[in-house]
Structure formats: structure tokens, C-alpha cells
Amino acid sequence: MNEQASIFAPARDAGQAEPPRETDLIRLGAILAAIGRGWWIVLIATAACLALAYHYAFNVATPTYRAAASIVLETGERAFISFDESTGQLSRDTPSLNTQIGVLRGIDLMGRVVDVMALDRDPEFNPIPAVPAGGQSDAREAQLAREIALRNLLGAVEVRNLPESLIFEISVTTSDPVKSMTIANTIVETYIAEQVDRKIAESRRAADWLRNRVSELQAELLEVQTRVDDFRFGPNGATTDTIVRRERLVSEAEAIRTLHRYLLTRLQETIAQEGLHRPDSRILSSAMLPLHPAAPRQTRILVVGGAVGLFLGLVGVFLREAARKGIRSIRMFSRVTRLPVLGAFPRVPFSQRRSEMRGLVGPRAAHFTEAVETLLTRLMISRVGEAPHVFAVVSPHSGDGKTSAVLSMARQFAARGFRTLVIDADTRKRTLSVNAGFSSPGLTAALAGEPLQGAVAQNPVLRCDVLGLPARVGEADAMPDVAAILRLLEAARFAYDITIIDTPPLNAVADALPFAVEADSVLMMVRWNGTSAADLDAALETLAQIGATPCGMVVTQVKPSVLGQAGYASYFKRV
């Protein structure tokens, strides 16, 4: 059921009334409606964040360029010295691959790159200029500059192992594309050169060890051979014991000679192969000059900025909705008060408001006039508007559209042929009297005992009589006597078919209570998105204390789209 069809549904009985459920407030339709009302907040927040993102991406952020080189590990090389695994092959297991990543990002390797490329003198890697070495203090500053450059280089380098492969990608990101390419290539070249240098150093250590060991074995062999040559049998000749001893010396000499010959051969092989070592890795692809910056990613920044702005805008909309105290649903007015909503008046633009209240003529006023006609029809159908009848029109606060509704109702009743009287009972503001152009004593004289017909003034625009207030009302006149009000209303019932009283706001002063208790019907005016549930409860409680119950409510200043009357108004604009 749409809003327009349901706002005039009669209120439920007290036993059937249900309190407003939370699910009604958070349903999808209410959320979308809230976003629709605050679309300008979302638009401003999104536009502001997009502007900031654009400024950052194109004006503030420094472009950085990423260059990447790749190497591949070769695990098929065998060591030249089988008993020394110091130059052995790399394995394919995960710990070994992680170890290579650590080596590629190692401080020693990166320190070599810093020294080779003099990055300690590069402002991007070392904002503090290095001081030439000239003393102990200068040496410390140079070392500090090197460490700063080293830390910044480590932050600019990224090493990763491509999944399921022995390929490593080394990428460098700096503000200069040539610098990024040069550093990436220097890292892989230094890494491979370091592998060769390590193997050569290990081979040399092995050769030194072999050389020393061969010399030791040669000395041992010479000593044992001398003992064999100098061996003499005793006076008893060659006995079993002497023969065994000599054989042991001969065997020991032969074992030393065999080991000496083997190690001498390995030493010669190691020396011969010293310049033929290959690294465990090779360059798969050198870094190329990057043509486009890797950051900032301007499109991504704009998308993120727009998303953040949209989010902040939605948050702002919901915070704005949460801060509002006014009831926005016409059905909710009926649920909160258990009273029927007899009508809903659309919002009138400020530029038209004065003419609408006074004349209500022309095509622009058609939708407002139609709303008033709907209210009067419902009053007549419910027999509340049977003549003679006195309406006390009340509202919780000022600005709820009460005076505009009173003038509009009076004009429409008069147009239907009813003898109509409008009474301005708001002795403090005189809003109705000002808009109707009334300046004679009016209500003050009538309450003082003057005949009603002599106190009223006919309004040619409204085509009804107006009992207004003078320009100045005394303090005593501001609080009318209840008996005088009763006499006045009795005279009005005798002389007029319809009497409509514009009363002061209930939650501000008590001046409306005597008129409300003596009137035939009380009509409550509430402002859409302006009257809160607490204000409405306070006004109804005030009326209940004097035994007055409103016959219904009229919601004023409703947005036309809520009523679904925008098309109706457009129809009249085209007439």
C-alpha cells in the first residue's frame, strides 16, 4: 500500500494499537529515502574526497619507477673436490630458496651496491650529505651516511621467488627510472660476482689445505722410508718378530705414499680448475628502463577517494537523520498518537506562502487547495463538520502551519456555502490577524461583552468573517476569561455554521486550553519532519488533563514527493 492511500486510514482501538517497531525504521525503503533526502551531502563528500585524491595523485605524490631484474638458480654444478662440500650445489627445498632471498637482501651484498654506486651521496637514499673523510669525527659521519643509505636501499628493494620455480625477481623502486634500472642490474651482477668470488676463495682455501697436507705427508713418507732403509736384522738373523716389524714399516710407507699421490693429484686438479668456477645463478633477464611510474596509481587513488567520499557522505546522511527529532513517516504519526490522520498539506515555497495563505488562487496553489478539500470532505463524511460546529485548531509548537491551515479551511468552507467565522486566539503573536489585515479591537471587544457582529470584520479574499486582534493587546487581555469564551462561542454557533479558532501553541503557553475545552472538536496540526514524538506526547498530555481529545491530526509542510502529488501539481502547471 502506498503512502497516499494509507495516511487517511482510521486509527486502531487502544487495545489493538501497536508501538512502532524498530524494523520499520531500518527497512530498506527508509534507508533509501534517507539517502535520497541527503543526496547533496553524499555528493559534496564524494566531490570533496575526489578533489583531494586528484590533488594528491597529480600534484603532491612523487612519481616512483619500478625496475625488475630476474635470476635463475642452477643446481646441476658438481664440486671439483668430492670430499669438500664448501663449493657444493644448491638444493631446491624451501629453506634453501628462503636462504637465497635472505642473501639477496643481505647487508653485505647491499653494502657493496651502496659502495659501488656511491648511494651514500645520493639525496634520495641519504638526505644527510656525506662528509669527506678527514678525521675520526668525519669517518663516523661517513659511516652514518653509509648506514642511512643502506637502510633506505633495503626499503627500496623487493625480492621474491616466483611460485614453483627457481627464478628470483629483484625489483627496485626509486624516483628516477634510470636509477631504478641501474640499481637492479647492479644487485644481480654483484650477487653473481659474489658467488664466483666465494667459490674461488673456497677453492683457494682447499688448495692451501691440500698443499699443507701434501707437504706433511711427504715428510712423513721420507721419515718412514728412512726407517725402512735403515732397518737391520739382529745378531740372530731374520726372526719372525723382526720380519713383521719390517713389513709394518713397508706397509705404512706404502699407505702414506698412496695418500700422498692422491692428494697431490687433487691439488693439481684444484689449481688447474681455479679459474673455471661458475656461479650457482645466472641472469635470466636484466632490468629494463621503466617508461611509466609504478606509483602513484592515479586511477586507484581516485577510485579509493570516491569510495571514501561516498562512505563519509552516507555516514553524514545517517548522522543527520539520527540527529533529527521530527517524525518523517505519516503513518508513524498515527501509530504514536493512536489518532487518525485526517489530512496532509504539502509544503508551500516561502515565496508563495503569503499569497497561498491569503488567497490560495492560481495553478501553483492547486495541490495545496486539493489537500484542504480532502480534509474538509473527510470532516463532513465523519459528521465532525456538521453545522453548527466550532473547531479549535491546535499545535505543539509555533511554525507548525496552523495559521495557514486555518485560513485555507475557512476559505474552502466559505466556498462551499457555509457561514464561516475565523477567530485569532493567539493574543501574543497575532499571526492570523496580520495575514488577514485585521486591526480593529475584534476578539478583545467581543470577550469584553460587545456584540459579536460588531466585533467581526469581513475579509473579501477569504469571503468569511474574521474576529482578529488589535495591534496591541494588554496583559489582562492576553489571558481571557473562560466564561467569556463560552459566551463568545455560543454566539458564534448561533450566527455561523463553522467557527475555526487559531490558538497559540500548546507546549509554549496555556492560552489555547480554554478554547480547546469549549470547542466542539479539536484538530491537531503537526509538522512533517519537525514535530517529534516527545513534543506530540506533551501536547496530547496537556489536552488530556482538561478532558479534550483531538478528533484527528493534519500533517503540514509535507514534501510533495512524500505525498505523491508532484505529478498532480505538474498537471496544473501545464493548464
Side-chain angles (χ1 to χ4, degrees):
M1 182 181 296
N2 59 28
E3 190 80 1
Q4 180 67 13
S6 62
I7 60 175
F8 296 121
R12 302 183 182 187
D13 295 334
Q16 298 178 341
E18 296 180 358
R21 295 173 296 178
E22 293 295 329
T23 54
D24 291 331
L25 301 178
I26 61 173
R27 65 186 185 273
L28 180 60
I31 293 176
L32 295 177
I35 296 175
R37 291 188 294 269
W39 63 269
W40 57 275
I41 298 178
V42 178
L43 181 61
I44 291 175
T46 304
C49 288
L50 279 175
L52 292 175
Y54 181 88
H55 177 68
Y56 172 78
F58 291 91
N59 300 325
V60 177
T62 302
T64 57
Y65 297 84
R66 179 179 178 272
S70 58
I71 60 174
V72 59
L73 297 184
E74 295 181 335
T75 60
E77 182 185 353
R78 296 181 59 84
F80 291 108
I81 305 175
S82 60
F83 56 83
D84 188 359
E85 298 298 331
S86 61
T87 59
Q89 63 184 16
L90 293 172
S91 64
R92 292 172 173 265
D93 58 350
T94 301
S96 296
L97 298 179
N98 291 335
T99 300
Q100 292 305 308
I101 293 178
V103 172
L104 284 166
R105 287 184 54 85
I107 294 179
D108 292 339
L109 177 62
M110 294 300 167
R112 284 190 179 187
V113 176
V114 170
D115 296 336
V116 169
M117 299 192 63
L119 295 180
D120 54 343
R121 297 189 183 122
D122 190 327
E124 183 175 358
F125 290 93
N126 178 27
I128 305 175
V131 180
Q136 184 177 4
S137 176
D138 294 338
R140 284 199 301 266
E141 292 180 0
Q143 180 63 24
L144 176 61
R146 185 179 185 275
E147 291 182 359
I148 293 175
L150 179 59
R151 291 178 182 274
N152 290 331
L153 177 61
L154 288 172
V157 175
E158 180 184 0
V159 180
R160 68 187 186 99
N161 173 224
L162 300 185
E164 305 298 329
S165 72
L166 296 176
I167 300 175
F168 292 85
E169 184 184 74
I170 299 93
S171 60
V172 180
T173 304
T174 68
S175 61
D176 184 2
V178 176
K179 186 190 303 182
S180 299
M181 178 187 68
T182 305
I183 293 177
N185 289 331
T186 302
I187 290 175
V188 296
E189 292 169 359
T190 304
Y191 172 69
I192 291 177
E194 188 179 67
Q195 286 185 339
V196 176
D197 293 343
R198 177 178 57 84
K199 287 193 174 186
I200 292 175
E202 291 174 352
S203 296
R204 288 176 179 175
R205 286 196 299 270
D208 292 340
W209 182 83
L210 287 172
R211 192 176 290 109
N212 294 333
R213 186 59 179 152
V214 167
S215 298
E216 293 173 357
L217 290 174
Q218 188 174 359
E220 291 178 8
L221 179 59
L222 181 60
E223 179 184 355
V224 173
Q225 187 63 42
T226 301
R227 290 169 59 189
V228 170
D229 294 341
D230 295 343
F231 188 84
R232 297 289 184 270
F233 293 103
N236 296 328
T239 63
T240 303
D241 182 55
T242 56
I243 291 173
V244 170
R245 288 170 55 196
R246 188 177 184 282
E247 290 296 331
R248 286 179 179 175
L249 289 174
V250 172
S251 298
E252 183 179 353
E254 186 61 30
I256 294 175
R257 186 178 294 107
T258 301
L259 181 58
H260 175 269
R261 188 182 300 114
Y262 175 78
L263 292 181
L264 182 61
T265 301
R266 291 304 182 192
L267 175 59
Q268 293 171 350
E269 291 177 353
T270 301
I271 294 174
Q273 298 291 336
E274 186 172 312
L276 302 178
H277 285 298
R278 293 188 305 161
D280 296 325
S281 308
R282 65 180 175 87
I283 297 177
L284 185 62
S285 63
S286 299
M288 300 179 65
L289 183 68
L291 301 179
H292 304 284
R297 298 183 179 180
Q298 296 167 340
T299 302
R300 178 179 296 182
I301 291 176
L302 291 178
V303 170
V304 172
V308 171
L310 180 62
F311 172 76
L312 293 178
L314 292 176
V315 170
V317 167
F318 292 125
L319 290 178
R320 176 173 174 261
E321 291 295 319
R324 289 182 179 275
K325 298 181 180 180
I327 300 176
R328 303 188 66 94
S329 171
I330 297 179
R331 284 193 297 264
M332 191 60 65
F333 278 108
S334 181
R335 290 185 178 182
V336 169
T337 62
R338 303 177 186 176
L339 294 174
V341 176
L342 300 177
F345 292 172
R347 181 186 302 164
V348 178
F350 181 80
S351 59
Q352 307 172 23
R353 192 168 300 171
R354 190 178 187 89
S355 62
E356 293 276 359
M357 288 190 300
R358 297 185 63 179
L360 289 176
V361 293
R364 291 187 177 182
H367 57 293
F368 191 92
T369 304
E370 186 67 21
V372 178
E373 285 286 348
T374 301
L375 171 62
L376 267 58
T377 301
R378 291 194 60 83
L379 291 175
M380 299 302 296
I381 292 176
S382 63
R383 304 179 67 85
V384 173
E386 287 187 347
H389 206 92
V390 176
F391 291 98
V393 181
V394 299
S395 67
H397 291 289
S398 61
D400 289 337
K402 175 169 44 63
T403 300
S404 175
V406 168
L407 292 174
S408 302
M409 290 172 59
R411 186 178 188 280
Q412 295 304 106
F413 270 123
R416 292 189 177 196
F418 291 96
R419 294 174 299 166
T420 305
L421 173 66
V422 177
I423 300 178
D424 183 5
D426 191 352
T427 58
R428 302 173 190 269
K429 286 193 172 183
R430 303 180 55 254
T431 305
L432 187 147
S433 299
V434 172
N435 284 277
F438 189 90
S439 59
S440 59
L443 179 62
T444 304
L447 292 176
E450 184 176 328
L452 181 60
Q453 295 301 323
V456 300
Q458 187 175 14
N459 188 291
V461 177
L462 298 176
R463 291 183 292 179
C464 65
D465 291 344
V466 176
L467 185 60
L469 292 166
R472 292 184 180 181
V473 180
E475 187 68 23
D477 297 330
M479 297 295 296
D481 179 62
V482 177
I485 293 176
L486 179 59
R487 290 194 301 268
L488 172 64
L489 296 184
E490 287 297 331
R493 289 187 183 94
F494 180 78
Y496 296 95
D497 300 322
I498 299 295
T499 302
I500 307 175
I501 308 173
D502 182 14
T503 64
L506 291 171
N507 293 348
V509 293
D511 297 357
L513 299 183
F515 294 96
V517 74
E518 298 297 339
D520 299 323
S521 297
V522 177
L523 196 59
M524 176 73 74
M525 297 290 167
V526 291
R527 179 159 46 103
W528 178 82
N529 195 30
T531 302
S532 66
D535 295 337
L536 196 50
D537 287 341
L540 292 176
E541 179 66 21
T542 301
L543 292 176
Q545 291 175 357
I546 62 172
T549 302
C551 63
M553 293 182 298
V554 177
V555 184
T556 64
Q557 303 183 31
V558 184
K559 194 174 181 180
S561 60
V562 176
L563 292 174
Q565 293 179 343
Y568 183 83
S570 300
Y571 168 77
F572 273 87
K573 287 182 182 180
R574 293 193 296 265
V575 174

